[in-house]
C-alpha cells in the first residue's frame, strides 16, 4: 500500500466535505458523501442525529436552515461554558451550526470565528449567517494546522469531530495554543481510540480516514500532544453512550469496538 502524504490526506478530506457542502439542504438517504453513515455524512434527518449528540430542541430550532448538517460526535459549545463578550474559534466550522449557537451565547459584545478548509463549506456558512442575521460571526478559509488568526486573539476554542481528521495533530494543538489568550480554554468533542485499531482500519487513509475513524488517536496520545503544546488542566472524558451512533458509521466493521466520542478540555496558562 502506498503511503499518502499529509497533503494528500487533507485533499481527500477536503474533497469529501466539498461533496457534503454542495448537497441539498434536505438530502435523500442515498445522497450522502460516503457509502457509510459516518460523521462526514449529511444525514437525511440531521435534527434526529444531532439530538443524539446532545443538542436540545431549542438549539436545533434556533439556527438557520442548512446550518445543521447532522455532522459531529458531540455538542462542544454545550461544554465550553461560554460567557457574554468572549471571542470563540470553531475549528472545522462546516455550515456554521456550532458557531451560530455560540454566537447566541456570547452575544453582540462577543464574536465567533469559524475556520474551515473547504471553500464550499465557508460559502455555505456565510450564506447561513446572512439568512440568520448573525453579525457577530466570521467564517474564514484555512487549515486548522495553519490558522488565519493572530496570536492570543481568542478566549475559547471549540471543535466537533474535526481534529481527528488532521494528519498533523501536534501542529493543530500548537496553533490552538498560539491563538488562545492566556487563561483561554479548549473545549472540543472528538473521537478517541479505546484500543489499537486493526491494520485494515488504521491503514485506510481514504474512506475510513475521512469517516472519522482511521485518524483517531488514543487518550494518552492526545494528552501528550496537549502537554507538549503547553496546555494544562487537561481532561479527556470518553462518552460510552456515543457507541449507539458510532456503530452505524461503517456497517459491518464494528468500529465502536475501537473508537468512542470524548469531551476534551484544556487550558492555556
Amino acid at each position: 500500500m502506498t503511503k499518502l502524504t499529509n497533503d494528500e490526506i487533507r485533499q481527500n478530506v477536503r474533497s469529501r466535505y466539498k461533496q457534503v457542502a454542495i448537497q441539498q439542504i434536505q438530502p435523500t438517504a442515498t445522497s450522502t458523501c460516503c457509502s457509510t453513515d459516518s460523521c462526514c455524512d449529511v444525514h437525511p434527518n440531521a435534527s434526529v442525529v444531532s439530538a443524539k449528540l446532545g443538542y436540545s430542541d431549542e438549539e436545533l430550532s434556533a439556527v438557520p436552515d442548512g446550518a445543521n448538517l447532522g455532522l459531529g460526535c458531540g455538542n462542544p459549545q454545550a461544554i465550553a461554558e461560554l460567557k457574554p463578550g468572549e471571542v470563540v474559534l470553531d475549528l472545522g466550522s462546516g455550515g456554521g451550526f456550532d458557531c451560530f449557537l455560540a454566537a447566541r451565547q456570547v452575544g453582540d459584545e462577543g464574536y465567533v470565528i469559524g475556520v474551515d478548509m473547504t471553500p464550499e463549506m465557508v460559502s455555505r456558512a456565510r450564506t447561513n449567517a446572512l439568512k440568520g442575521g448573525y453579525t457577530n460571526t466570521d467564517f474564514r478559509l484555512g487549515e486548522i494546522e495553519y490558522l488565519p488568526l493572530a496570536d492570543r486573539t481568542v478566549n475559547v476554542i471549540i471543535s466537533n469531530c474535526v481534529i481527528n481528521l488532521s494528519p498533523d495533530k501536534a501542529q493543530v494543538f500548537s496553533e490552538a495554543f498560539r491563538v488562545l489568550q492566556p487563561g483561554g480554554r479548549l473545549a472540543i468533542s472528538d473521537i478517541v481510540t479505546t484500543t489499537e485499531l486493526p491494520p485494515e482500519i488504521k491503514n485506510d487513509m481514504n474512506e475510513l480516514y475521512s469517516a472519522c475513524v482511521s485518524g483517531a488517536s488514543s487518550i494518552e496520545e492526545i494528552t501528550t500532544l496537549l502537554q507538549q503544546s503547553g496546555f494544562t488542566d487537561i481532561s479527556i472524558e470518553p462518552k460510552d453512550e456515543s457507541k449507539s451512533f458510532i456503530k452505524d458509521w461503517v456497517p459491518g466493521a464494528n468500529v465502536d469496538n475501537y473508537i468512542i466520542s470524548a469531551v476534551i478540555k484544556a487550558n492555556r496558562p
Side-chain angles (χ1 to χ4, degrees), residues 2 60 75 91 102 104 107 110 139 159 194 209-210 234 241 259 262:
T2 302
L60 295 174
N75 181 357
L91 303 181
R104 297 170 70 239
F139 295 96
S159 186
T194 55
Y209 197 99
S210 296
I234 299 166
E241 61 269 24
I259 61 173

Side-chain angles (χ1 to χ4, degrees), residues 13-44:
V13 174
R14 182 180 288 113
S15 176
R16 187 63 58 85
Y17 277 86
K18 172 183 177 179
Q19 294 177 56
V20 173
I22 62 179
Q23 291 181 66
Q24 298 299 316
I25 293 176
Q26 296 296 332
T28 64
T30 58
S31 66
T32 57
C33 68
C34 313
S35 59
T36 65
D37 188 22
S38 74
C39 71
C40 74
D41 293 328
V42 175
H43 197 276

Side-chain angles (χ1 to χ4, degrees), residues 173 217-231 234-236 264:
F173 290 130
S217 300
S218 69
I219 291 176
E220 292 76 15
E221 289 170 330
I222 294 174
T223 299
T224 297
L225 291 175
L226 287 167
Q227 290 173 336
Q228 291 174 343
S229 297
F231 284 98
I234 299 166
S235 170
I236 303 178
I264 303 171

Side-chain angles (χ1 to χ4, degrees), residues 5-253:
T5 66
N6 284 357
D7 191 58
E8 287 173 325
I9 293 172
R10 292 190 190 97
Q11 292 293 354
N12 287 342
V13 174
R14 182 180 288 113
S15 176
R16 187 63 58 85
Y17 277 86
K18 172 183 177 179
Q19 294 177 56
V20 173
I22 62 179
Q23 291 181 66
Q24 298 299 316
I25 293 176
Q26 296 296 332
T28 64
T30 58
S31 66
T32 57
C33 68
C34 313
S35 59
T36 65
D37 188 22
S38 74
C39 71
C40 74
D41 293 328
V42 175
H43 197 276
N45 197 337
S47 293
V48 172
V49 174
S50 295
K52 293 180 181 179
L53 301 181
Y55 293 94
S56 67
D57 290 341
E58 193 274 335
E59 289 173 324
L60 295 174
S61 62
V63 299
D65 288 341
N68 180 16
L69 303 178
L71 308 176
C73 57
N75 181 357
Q77 56 83 37
I79 63 173
E81 300 176 353
L82 301 178
K83 303 176 181 64
E86 289 189 315
V87 178
V88 180
L89 169 63
D90 184 10
L91 303 181
S93 48
F97 182 37
D98 287 318
C99 287
F100 298 135
L101 293 176
R104 297 170 70 239
Q105 294 192 47
V106 300
D108 292 339
E109 298 300 315
Y111 204 64
V112 181
I113 302 165
V115 171
D116 202 285
M117 71 173 180
T118 308
E120 292 79 8
M121 279 293 189
V122 173
S123 177
R124 183 166 187 155
R126 289 172 177 170
T127 298
N128 289 332
L130 288 173
K131 286 192 301 183
Y134 287 89
T135 59
N136 61 339
T137 60
D138 179 23
F139 295 96
R140 303 178 186 179
L141 181 65
E143 296 177 346
I144 60 176
E145 298 91 347
Y146 306 97
L147 291 170
L149 285 89
D151 296 355
R152 304 185 177 194
T153 49
V154 302
N155 302 112
V156 189
I157 293 178
I158 62 174
S159 186
N160 196 349
C161 211
V162 171
I163 295 177
N164 76 85
L165 295 170
S166 171
D168 191 352
K169 296 171 182 61
Q171 177 68 14
V172 173
F173 290 130
S174 177
E175 278 289 272
F177 189 87
R178 177 184 67 81
V179 303
L180 276 173
Q181 296 180 8
R185 58 198 187 276
L186 185 78
I188 65 177
S189 295
D190 216 316
I191 293 299
V192 298
T193 59
T194 55
T195 188
E196 183 74 19
L197 293 172
E200 63 272 19
I201 293 179
K202 187 173 184 177
N203 295 331
D204 188 327
M205 292 289 101
N206 191 355
E207 290 295 325
L208 293 185
Y209 197 99
S210 296
C212 306
V213 177
S214 300
S217 300
S218 69
I219 291 176
E220 292 76 15
E221 289 170 330
I222 294 174
T223 299
T224 297
L225 291 175
L226 287 167
Q227 290 173 336
Q228 291 174 343
S229 297
F231 284 98
T232 60
D233 305 316
I234 299 166
S235 170
I236 303 178
E237 180 183 353
K239 296 294 184 181
D240 288 338
E241 61 269 24
S242 66
K243 292 184 178 183
S244 64
F245 56 82
I246 288 174
K247 64 182 176 61
D248 298 324
W249 283 3
V250 187

